[in-house]
Amino acid sequence: MREREAHGRGPERAHEVRRLRDLLRSAVLSGAYRVGQLPSEAELMTGHRATRAAVRAALAMLRTEGLIERAQGIGTHAVVAPANALIEEALGVLRPPNSALFDGRTRPRLLDSATIATPHTLAPG
């Protein structure tokens, strides 16, 4: 549900939905749901003292943002963000910093040194 749709049902409900969305977004991004599964709608209602409509609206907003996925009968799960690394780091050219995907003990190794022709789609002519 979009924010403007939440406004149509009163400013207090819109505020409740945004507050809940922000709290859940913060929890998802901080890794509070390490196994991926978020609490059920009933647990969220109880834990945040929110209505079912507000919980569903907040979850819909997070789904639109791409932070969660919902499936009936399975539940709501946090979407795992892809790992990012600089190409120089991945190739072993740079020493990885402490916050890097690869730690200092991980060293890439050459698996293949074959020469591959450039595809015609990249080198017309």
Side-chain angles (χ1 to χ4, degrees):
M1 173 177 282
R2 296 186 176 147
E3 270 189 70
R4 62 186 164 93
E5 292 173 2
H7 287 290
R9 297 191 182 120
E12 62 282 342
R13 176 158 183 273
H15 175 72
E16 179 184 12
V17 170
R18 285 193 309 272
R19 179 188 64 80
L20 183 57
R21 176 204 56 197
D22 293 344
L23 289 170
L24 292 173
R25 180 193 297 130
S26 177
V28 167
L29 292 176
S30 69
Y33 306 113
R34 295 216 183 269
V35 294
Q37 179 124 12
L38 274 70
S40 68
E41 287 181 3
E43 292 170 331
L44 290 172
M45 289 169 51
T46 303
H48 293 279
R49 294 183 180 156
T51 64
R52 182 173 299 274
V55 168
R56 287 185 176 176
L59 291 174
M61 288 178 177
L62 293 176
R63 185 170 181 258
T64 301
E65 292 177 20
L67 293 176
I68 63 170
E69 286 295 327
R70 303 189 78 197
Q72 186 174 358
I74 296 174
T76 304
H77 292 81
V79 176
V80 178
N84 293 320
L86 297 172
I87 190 70
E88 295 85 1
E89 177 190 335
L91 294 175
V93 176
L94 295 177
R95 180 176 174 84
N98 291 341
S99 62
L101 174 64
F102 303 103
D103 63 16
R105 299 169 297 173
T106 304
R107 294 285 175 232
R109 59 188 170 114
L110 182 63
L111 299 177
D112 185 14
S113 62
T115 303
I116 301 171
T118 305
H120 71 281
T121 55
L122 296 178

